[in-house]
Amino acid sequence: MSGDNTGAGDGPLWLPTDSGFATAAIHSGYVPKDWSYAPVVPSISLSTTFEQDAPAQHRGYEYTRSGNPTRQILEDTLAALDKGKHGLVYSSGLAATTNLIAMLNTGDHVICMDDVYGGTGRLFRQMKKSSNIETDFVDLTDLSKVTAALSKDTKMVWIETPTNPILKIVDIAAVSELVHAFSKDIIVVVDNTFLTSYFQRPLTLGADAVVYSLTKYVNGHSDVLMGAIVTSRDDLKERLAFLQNSLGAVPSPFDCYLVIRSIRTLHVRMPLHMKNAFQIAKFLASHPLVEKVIHPGLPSHPQHQLALKQSSGHSGLISFYIKSPGDSSKFLQKLKVFSLAESLGGYESLAELPFSMTHASVPEDLRAKLGITESLVRLSVGLESLEDLIADLDAALKSSANQA
């Protein structure tokens, strides 16, 4: 069964949400009576090593880099929420990305969405220099461009949807079908950081693996740095588990505990992020000092209908252009409730200038092509009172314009 999801009041009609998500988020990965003292809340296993019954005979765990009880609960929970079989967690989102890239060999070819998180693009560009792994940055919203980019050396297609920071929507099912028809050896990866498994499940749409920066919405409290990969393919899990142990970029048990705690309220937080962001998007769209607003829930978004067909909603991400480019920095400095800071997905509202902050490493010509200009502002709308957030944005826009 699925729950109704009509957005925020007069918002768009998204796909229904999974009515069982809340129960899965609270109970997946952990059964209290599996433990001798049946704690309702999972315990934190801080031990780095585990006593063995005999040489090389352990009880499931031997060394925390290789496996940890608290980490296992988190990995199992993430897999369940994405309708996958295997979850693996890492010390950061980029560590998860690095482990996926580590499956590639010299001479391999990658197709990556052109508009992606700045750190992802920077890493793929560096792989050309260090490992001779060629990456083509392609607009995956155009299937003809995907077809044109495929070659016999292509081994991975990297989708980010919605994209960062332009919020393009890629048709996961269509791209996955096209790529797998060309070669079943190509791994289709989807970065689902912006929506989480609450709003979108790429594995059910044909992707081979889902990658997350858990730092963002999944943790949602801006106090943990962590990444994850979820897959249903046993062969990928075997390769990734080897790399996870060998490269050693694993999170601490305490951080795993914090993310487990956060997942238990994911289904409560995401709808409020969506509600606040959609109302703010509508407010900004009618503001005289705003040139353009980008939000998949608005009919003006070029992939609006695809977003409604593919997802159960949208998070707190909004991008918009201020009419006077020179006012963007002033606007950001005038904000009182929103904090001028990088990152996203926490309960607090953040604002940033991708041009000189999160996407400063993107080559200048690509930034211009994508529309990452000095007038583009990205908002991560949090869980504060909607009226206070709108008043803050309105006052900062007017103040920055009057200061010009």
Side-chain angles (χ1 to χ4, degrees):
M1 293 179 63
S2 297
D4 178 56
N5 191 17
T6 55
D10 56 345
L13 185 61
W14 301 87
L15 286 176
T17 54
D18 180 353
S19 63
F21 189 94
T23 302
I26 292 170
H27 294 289
S28 290
Y30 180 70
V31 178
K33 290 183 179 177
D34 284 349
W35 301 73
S36 60
Y37 55 105
V40 173
V41 176
S43 300
I44 308 173
S45 179
L46 294 175
S47 182
T48 59
T49 190
F50 301 85
E51 187 174 4
Q52 302 189 16
D53 297 319
Q57 293 182 20
H58 55 79
R59 302 184 185 185
Y61 302 97
E62 51 187 328
Y63 187 62
T64 278
R65 172 170 46 77
S66 305
N68 174 277
T70 311
R71 192 174 94 206
Q72 189 66 54
I73 293 168
L74 174 57
E75 292 179 329
D76 290 347
T77 301
L78 290 168
L81 294 182
D82 251 303
K83 300 294 186 183
K85 287 179 62 178
H86 312 290
L88 302 99
V89 291
Y90 302 86
S91 54
S92 70
L94 274 174
T97 300
T98 300
N99 274 255
L100 283 162
I101 292 175
M103 292 193 297
L104 302 174
N105 298 311
T106 298
D108 284 349
H109 173 243
V110 176
I111 299 173
C112 180
M113 181 64 187
D114 56 357
D115 181 35
V116 290
Y117 165 56
T120 301
R122 180 174 61 239
L123 183 57
F124 276 123
R125 282 186 286 273
Q126 178 62 32
M127 295 308 295
K128 169 63 177 175
K129 301 175 184 176
S130 62
S131 303
N132 194 31
I133 293 173
E134 189 79 43
T135 300
D136 284 330
F137 293 90
V138 177
D139 182 0
L140 302 182
T141 65
D142 186 339
L143 294 179
S144 66
K145 292 182 178 179
V146 179
T147 301
L150 288 166
S151 77
K152 63 179 179 60
D153 295 323
T154 305
K155 293 296 184 287
M156 183 175 289
V157 173
W158 192 278
I159 300 171
E160 187 176 290
T161 183
T163 64
N164 185 2
I166 304 300
L167 300 178
K168 295 180 185 179
I169 305 297
V170 178
D171 191 329
I172 299 171
V175 172
S176 297
E177 182 179 5
L178 188 157
V179 170
H180 289 144
F182 182 85
S183 172
K184 294 189 181 300
D185 293 333
I186 301 175
I187 301 169
V188 176
V189 179
V190 177
D191 186 334
N192 200 35
T193 296
F194 277 16
L195 295 190
T196 79
S197 55
Y198 181 76
F199 283 138
Q200 181 170 267
R201 286 169 165 157
L203 296 182
T204 67
L205 298 172
D208 297 299
V210 187
V211 64
Y212 290 100
S213 171
L214 299 179
T215 308
K216 313 304 193 296
Y217 283 107
V218 174
N219 183 60
H221 291 72
S222 299
D223 56 5
V224 171
L225 189 69
M226 197 182 298
I229 301 168
V230 178
T231 184
S232 289
R233 286 179 48 177
D234 295 338
D235 62 325
L236 288 185
K237 190 266 181 180
E238 184 177 351
R239 295 166 67 186
L240 287 167
F242 172 81
L243 290 167
Q244 182 192 47
N245 185 46
S246 300
L247 297 178
V250 296
S252 73
F254 185 75
D255 281 354
C256 290
Y257 167 80
L258 289 176
V259 178
I260 294 168
R261 166 218 60 180
S262 297
I263 287 176
R264 305 317 193 200
T265 61
L266 184 61
H267 61 285
V268 179
R269 293 182 283 111
M270 294 307 288
L272 185 52
H273 281 296
M274 177 172 74
K275 175 180 177 292
N276 280 354
F278 183 68
Q279 295 300 327
I280 288 173
K282 290 199 302 178
F283 163 75
L284 291 172
S286 64
H287 201 287
L289 298 175
V290 173
E291 183 69 33
K292 178 184 177 182
V293 178
I294 306 172
H295 185 289
L298 294 176
S300 58
H301 191 285
Q303 292 97 35
H304 174 65
Q305 291 301 322
L306 172 59
L308 299 185
K309 182 185 77 171
Q310 180 166 274
S311 309
S312 299
H314 184 67
S315 60
L317 270 296
I318 303 171
S319 292
F320 70 97
Y321 293 90
I322 293 179
K323 281 189 175 178
S324 176
D327 290 347
S328 57
S329 179
K330 299 172 190 173
F331 160 76
L332 290 167
Q333 294 175 71
K334 294 291 183 181
L335 291 167
K336 304 298 184 185
V337 181
F338 282 81
S339 293
L340 172 56
E342 296 189 5
S343 197
L344 56 102
Y347 55 76
E348 75 291 340
S349 292
L350 305 177
E352 65 115 358
L353 195 68
F355 181 86
S356 57
M357 295 173 68
T358 55
H359 289 70
S361 65
V362 177
E364 187 176 352
D365 59 338
L366 182 55
R367 270 186 302 176
K369 178 183 176 183
L370 293 172
I372 304 174
T373 68
E374 293 181 81
S375 63
L376 178 71
V377 173
R378 190 190 74 184
L379 301 179
S380 173
V381 179
L383 307 179
E384 300 94 337
S385 298
L386 177 62
E387 294 78 7
D388 292 337
L389 294 173
I390 289 178
D392 189 36
L393 293 168
D394 187 42
L397 282 166
K398 291 175 178 175
S399 178
S400 60
N402 291 336
Q403 188 180 333

